[in-house]
Amino acid sequence: MRNRKLVVLLGCMALAPLAVLAADAPPDKPDHRGEHWAALDTNGDGAISKDEAAAGAPRMAEHFAEIDTNGDGLVTKDEMQAARGKHHQEMQARGEERFKSADKNGDGMIDLAEAQQGMPRAAEHFKELDTDGNGNLSREELKAGMRGHRGEGPRGGQQQKPEAN
């Protein structure tokens, strides 16, 4: 069981360039980033070398030079925090661009036809995401649906049940 959790953790860390220590923990959940950092920092110096990243977080190693902004060969917690912030802003900008692109009539909402054309995954779950039942998806409804998809909160007005291990 413990090994499975470790494998899942390492797999998640490999999914996105900066997902090693990705988003802030939701307020009702403990923040385990310090534990993740400590596991990667095998020599205990408070920073992550490229070798440490390669051993425990291959995607972090891939983007090491981008994260190591001062070029000293070590990623500090401050550099990681800055990289997470930058990544978060880029993701928000991409999401906003996708929303605007899908919103063909420019009304600030996505109806089912627009979702089918520009956001097919949202269209598949349209009724669930349309929590106010008005036949349109607002930015807020889509954001809530994303949080629910990641297990961070309500989706379609209901808390997702945790998956069994």
Side-chain angles (χ1 to χ4, degrees):
M1 177 68 85
R2 187 173 177 95
N3 286 338
R4 181 175 180 209
K5 287 182 181 181
L6 180 59
V7 169
V8 170
L9 171 65
L10 293 175
C12 289
M13 291 168 60
L15 290 178
L18 304 175
V20 175
L21 304 169
D24 290 335
D28 61 334
K29 293 186 181 179
D31 184 351
H32 297 289
R33 286 185 295 197
E35 294 171 21
H36 298 168
W37 189 267
L40 290 173
D41 182 16
T42 57
N43 67 4
D45 67 354
I48 307 300
S49 69
K50 188 164 187 175
D51 289 341
E52 287 171 324
R59 294 291 301 226
M60 181 183 186
E62 273 181 50
H63 298 274
F64 197 86
E66 179 184 338
I67 300 167
D68 178 20
T69 55
N70 67 3
D72 67 354
L74 298 171
V75 170
T76 64
K77 288 182 180 182
D78 288 342
E79 287 172 319
M80 193 67 221
Q81 178 73 25
R84 278 196 313 270
K86 180 182 175 188
H87 179 68
H88 182 72
Q89 288 175 338
E90 290 168 356
M91 293 296 291
Q92 283 185 318
R94 280 194 293 258
E96 182 62 24
E97 191 56 41
R98 285 191 68 213
F99 188 92
K100 286 180 182 178
S101 177
D103 182 17
K104 297 296 184 192
N105 65 7
D107 67 351
M109 305 287 271
I110 305 295
D111 62 31
L112 180 57
E114 290 170 327
Q116 288 169 332
Q117 194 171 35
M119 302 179 98
R121 288 182 59 198
E124 292 174 15
H125 304 282
F126 194 88
K127 286 184 180 180
E128 182 182 353
L129 293 170
D130 182 17
T131 56
D132 64 7
N134 69 354
N136 292 298
L137 298 179
S138 67
R139 285 173 176 84
E140 293 74 26
E141 287 172 318
L142 284 170
K143 286 178 186 177
M146 290 293 292
R147 285 190 302 271
H149 178 71
R150 292 188 309 247
E152 295 176 6
R155 179 178 182 181
Q158 298 180 15
Q159 181 72 27
Q160 279 188 319
K161 296 178 184 172
E163 293 184 36
N165 291 335

